[in-house]
Amino acid sequence: MLLKIPAVLSKQQVETARKALLEAQWSDGNITAGYQSAKTKNNLQLPGDSQVARELGDVILAALAQNNLFMSAALPNKIFPPLFNCYQGGQSFGTHVDNAIRQVPGTPVKVRTDLSMTIFLSEPDEYEGGELVMEDTFGSQRIKLAAGDMVLYPSTSLHRVTPVTKGRRLASFFWLQSMVSSDEKRSILFDMDMAIQALRNKLDDSPEIVQLTGVYHNLLRQWAQT
Ligand code: NI
């Protein structure tokens, strides 16, 4: 399931993040690339242990914790601390798949990457190119969102970032391990949760809604690993 989540960050938060990012010390993006992706990756990245990355990462994680759409779709167990990248002057990232396991630097914590996330921090009209292109069974999808919006997609999918031929594309990218590793099962739970919430907005709480809510939690109990 690919899901666009609008306004994860407010315009004010985006502005603050951009200001800090433009003053930060950037490195070559290959610091976190695997063997295969290093060959096609050409961008700039903030080192994960930089003060700016940590502070902005915490802002993002706090915003996500309050975001019901994200929590329902992702059912997060462990979230890798957000990283930040910058593409400019023709930089791109060729077709690749994200590494299955990420160790959080400086800790023994390993995160299985079930879902990948990108939060756009530049407005679409500030740069040319820079689309995140996802190959899935329904064909390819080209994603370029407003600053502050996020896309959530299965880490199993092949994806790339097209060359940024004009302007600068700033973004945050990271991964999470879901309590429900199966994309299919997670999608079923998400659809059910959305339907129950919509019903609850239309009708007063009825015994049937209570029962459906019970079914949702019983499925989650069957499928979740914590
Ligand atoms: Ni990737």
Side-chain angles (χ1 to χ4, degrees):
M1 176 180 51
L2 183 156
L3 185 70
K4 296 169 192 168
I5 304 181
V8 162
L9 296 181
S10 68
K11 293 295 181 194
Q12 184 60 51
Q13 286 172 315
V14 168
E15 208 37 61
T16 308
R18 290 164 52 113
K19 205 157 170 269
L21 289 174
L22 292 175
E23 289 166 5
Q25 286 289 319
W26 294 84
S27 310
D28 189 294
N30 276 333
I31 47 178
T32 57
Y35 175 75
Q36 185 271 329
S37 55
K39 294 186 214 163
T40 60
K41 188 174 183 182
N42 174 23
N43 65 3
L44 297 172
Q45 197 170 306
L46 275 197
D49 60 359
S50 87
Q51 180 82 0
V52 172
R54 281 191 193 172
E55 285 177 13
L56 296 180
D58 286 346
V59 171
I60 288 172
L61 294 177
L64 287 177
Q66 304 292 321
N67 191 302
N68 291 337
L69 192 57
F70 166 77
M71 295 304 278
S72 176
L75 298 170
N77 182 356
K78 289 184 261 183
I79 307 182
F80 193 92
L83 295 169
F84 297 85
N85 62 15
C86 172
Y87 294 81
Q88 57 193 2
Q91 287 180 320
S92 64
F93 195 167
T95 303
H96 67 281
V97 67
D98 293 341
N99 281 1
I101 308 289
R102 293 264 167 197
Q103 181 151 4
V104 179
T107 76
V109 179
K110 289 194 175 78
V111 176
R112 184 190 61 231
T113 58
D114 295 322
L115 287 165
S116 299
M117 288 147 289
T118 296
I119 299 179
F120 290 77
L121 296 172
S122 299
E123 296 293 354
D125 61 3
E126 289 180 279
Y127 58 99
E128 281 176 18
E131 293 168 308
L132 176 61
V133 183
M134 239 90 63
E135 308 294 345
D136 74 17
T137 43
F138 301 111
S140 67
Q141 303 225 34
R142 307 178 82 86
I143 312 284
K144 187 168 178 174
L145 302 179
D149 290 5
M150 181 171 94
V151 60
L152 181 73
Y153 60 99
S155 304
T156 47
S157 53
L158 287 171
H159 55 275
R160 67 181 190 274
V161 177
T162 64
V164 173
T165 53
K166 206 172 175 185
R168 180 195 289 121
R169 176 197 193 268
L170 294 169
S172 175
F173 67 103
F174 50 116
W175 307 272
L176 68 81
Q177 178 171 327
S178 177
M179 290 188 286
V180 177
S181 62
S182 155
D183 191 53
E184 205 174 5
K185 288 176 180 166
R186 210 184 313 111
S187 294
I188 291 170
L189 288 168
F190 178 59
D191 288 346
M192 191 166 183
D193 191 19
M194 290 295 107
I196 291 170
Q197 285 186 40
L199 271 180
R200 195 172 280 142
N201 287 336
K202 272 192 198 166
L203 312 165
D204 283 335
D205 245 355
S206 65
E208 291 81 3
I209 293 177
V210 175
Q211 191 169 12
L212 279 174
T213 306
V215 173
Y216 171 87
H217 282 284
N218 289 336
L219 278 175
L220 183 58
R221 217 185 312 276
Q222 293 269 328
W223 291 342
Q225 290 161 317
T226 58

